[in-house]
Amino acid sequence: VTERRVIAHLDMDAFYVSVELLRHPELRGKPLVIAWDTARSVVTTASYEARKFGVGSAMPASRARRLCPQGIFLAPDMAHYRDVSRQVMALIAELGVPTEQMSLDEVYLDLSGLEFPVQTMTDLTRRIRDELGLDASVGIGPNKLVAKVASDAEKPRGFVMLSSEQAVERFAEASPRLIPGIGPKTAERLRGMGVETLARLRELGLEELRSRFGSSSGQALYERSRFRDSGRVSEERARKSQSVESTFDTDITDPEELQRMIRGQAERLGASVRKKGMAGRTIAIKVRLDDFTTITRAKTIDGFTDDPEAIAATALALLAANPPPRPVRLLGVRIASFADERPVKPPADQTPSLLDAA
Ligand SMILES: [Mg+2]
């Protein structure tokens, strides 16, 4: 049974900046940077004027200040951005189609059941502009992967519709990094194999990819480089927990190196949770030893947090209290019990411990 799928990805343009400009119209046309004013903070969003100076998301704020000394720096007001995001999502909910919200400003819509999906998205972006004063970019395709890449292709105010075959052709010379899920490490390994474009990646056979990257990652690289994706738009996916973990090429024994890894992971996790407008209060670490024993340790803290420093401090304390008895092959940090869920056991002063079966 072949079923026609029409998936859209809607991504607000420079969301935090655009929301700030609504209440600070005097800053329009100026290089505006939204970043926390702390030593290790990174840029959350930069206006298109600031981007001309080379300022970009996730760049250290200190670097952004050097690149753009005349920039206007504002601290993020997450409560306000969440409010505005709810207004955007409320307009989208009126369509009555399945949606999957990825962050405050990104959402997938499954338009397969609609007679006029393209017109629906044109009308939706017009409503968002007219009623909320905000711009969005839209990608439409047969799956989430095409929709996501298409929504990024012509920002701001992009509206790009592609089949998988058209996406293959249009992005043939793009870096493999264009594909969500292909991170810097995979791209680096591909570069080592002489692969710097998606077209070149598609020349590698399935068997070669599987033997180099493992069966499931190899298969995913094969499918995704062809813009095939069977992932569903799922409201249930609204996450119960978020985590970051890495497996090492060489097992780690040095405690200081483990601490460094945990700190880096906690900071990335905090940044991602914060970007989604979430805050959690259970923080856990996962440690897999060289004999494949997996240990998880969790702690529930007093208040909800999205602060990378607080997540790192708790994760480091858990690691210090549970020094791995053997070399470590995998390390991870997880956060759960988000603010909109019912508070969960265990109580704040108890540290539960689980020993997963390997
Ligand atoms: Mg956006």
Side-chain angles (χ1 to χ4, degrees):
V1 182
T2 50
E3 165 199 0
R4 164 184 164 276
R5 294 176 73 213
V6 182
I7 309 298
H9 182 254
L10 180 137
D11 184 359
M12 303 299 293
D13 297 331
F15 184 58
Y16 299 173
V17 162
S18 307
V19 171
E20 290 294 353
L21 289 177
L22 288 177
R23 56 181 183 179
H24 296 294
E26 72 280 6
L27 298 180
R28 238 169 239 288
K30 303 228 160 88
L32 183 58
V33 179
I34 313 288
W36 275 273
D37 192 15
T38 60
R40 307 172 62 102
S41 73
V42 295
V43 172
T44 64
T45 320
S47 70
Y48 291 96
E49 289 79 9
R51 293 180 199 194
K52 287 187 193 127
F53 292 86
V55 176
S57 299
M59 166 185 293
S62 52
R63 172 131 189 268
R65 281 182 201 277
R66 277 199 303 279
L67 286 171
C68 186
Q70 63 274 67
I72 296 159
F73 286 71
L74 285 183
D77 179 352
M78 296 310 295
H80 182 54
Y81 307 155
R82 264 193 288 269
D83 274 352
V84 178
S85 170
R86 271 189 217 110
Q87 296 170 34
V88 174
M89 297 304 157
L91 289 181
I92 293 171
E94 287 182 25
L95 301 177
V97 300
T99 60
E100 180 177 348
Q101 191 179 341
M102 304 306 287
S103 67
L104 287 185
D105 76 320
E106 273 185 51
V107 59
Y108 288 103
L109 298 86
D110 187 339
L111 308 175
S112 306
L114 298 184
E115 196 175 353
F116 301 110
V118 177
Q119 187 61 44
T120 300
M121 292 310 290
T122 318
D123 293 345
L124 175 64
T125 50
R126 187 176 311 121
R127 270 194 88 183
I128 294 174
R129 190 170 307 146
D130 291 349
E131 296 179 28
L132 302 175
L134 294 167
D135 286 325
S137 292
V138 168
I140 300 178
N143 58 48
K144 290 164 84 175
L145 174 58
V146 173
K148 162 80 177 160
V149 173
S151 74
D152 267 340
E154 295 181 12
K155 269 182 158 300
R157 293 194 184 197
F159 197 100
V160 176
M161 240 178 312
L162 295 171
S163 65
S164 293
E165 295 72 22
Q166 288 168 327
V168 161
E169 211 164 293
R170 176 162 176 165
F171 304 112
E173 295 312 308
S175 155
R177 285 295 305 276
L178 181 77
I179 304 288
I182 300 186
K185 269 182 138 177
T186 305
E188 189 56 50
R189 283 181 67 186
L190 287 169
R191 196 171 307 119
M193 298 162 65
V195 174
E196 308 217 29
T197 66
L198 285 171
R200 179 76 187 88
L201 174 54
R202 282 190 296 272
E203 288 169 17
L204 301 183
L206 178 58
E207 283 322 306
E208 178 168 12
L209 287 170
R210 286 180 139 180
S211 71
R212 296 263 196 160
F213 293 92
S215 164
S216 73
S217 299
Q219 181 83 37
L221 280 171
Y222 186 86
E223 299 294 341
R224 292 176 77 76
S225 64
R226 286 163 175 74
F227 287 92
R228 296 182 199 148
D229 172 21
S230 57
R232 297 273 137 182
V233 173
S234 132
E235 308 189 357
E236 261 96 273
R237 204 187 301 257
R239 296 161 190 74
K240 295 257 182 262
S241 75
Q242 296 252 310
S243 61
V244 168
E245 59 179 55
S246 13
T247 306
F248 309 123
D249 295 331
T250 317
D251 298 340
I252 298 182
T253 42
D254 177 12
E256 276 180 26
E257 193 171 355
L258 291 172
Q259 286 166 18
R260 250 196 322 277
M261 303 290 314
I262 283 269
R263 170 171 287 282
Q265 290 179 330
E267 284 172 357
R268 268 187 288 147
L269 181 62
S272 139
V273 163
R274 191 171 254 183
K275 185 174 168 237
K276 296 184 172 76
M278 303 163 93
R281 57 189 293 249
T282 301
I283 289 141
I285 61 168
K286 174 172 168 183
V287 181
R288 180 166 296 150
L289 306 175
D290 63 343
D291 63 358
F292 281 83
T293 312
T294 303
I295 302 160
T296 53
R297 293 286 185 275
K299 183 171 173 61
T300 297
I301 57 175
D302 285 337
F304 292 98
T305 188
D306 63 356
D307 177 5
E309 291 290 330
I311 297 169
T314 305
L316 285 169
L318 286 166
L319 182 69
N322 302 278
R326 299 179 58 89
V328 173
R329 68 184 314 270
L330 174 151
L331 202 58
V333 180
R334 187 165 58 86
I335 182 164
S337 309
F338 293 113
D340 50 355
E341 292 172 24
R342 229 176 281 271
V344 289
K345 307 268 176 199
D349 58 350
Q350 194 185 322
T351 302
S353 58
L354 308 161
L355 203 59
D356 292 351

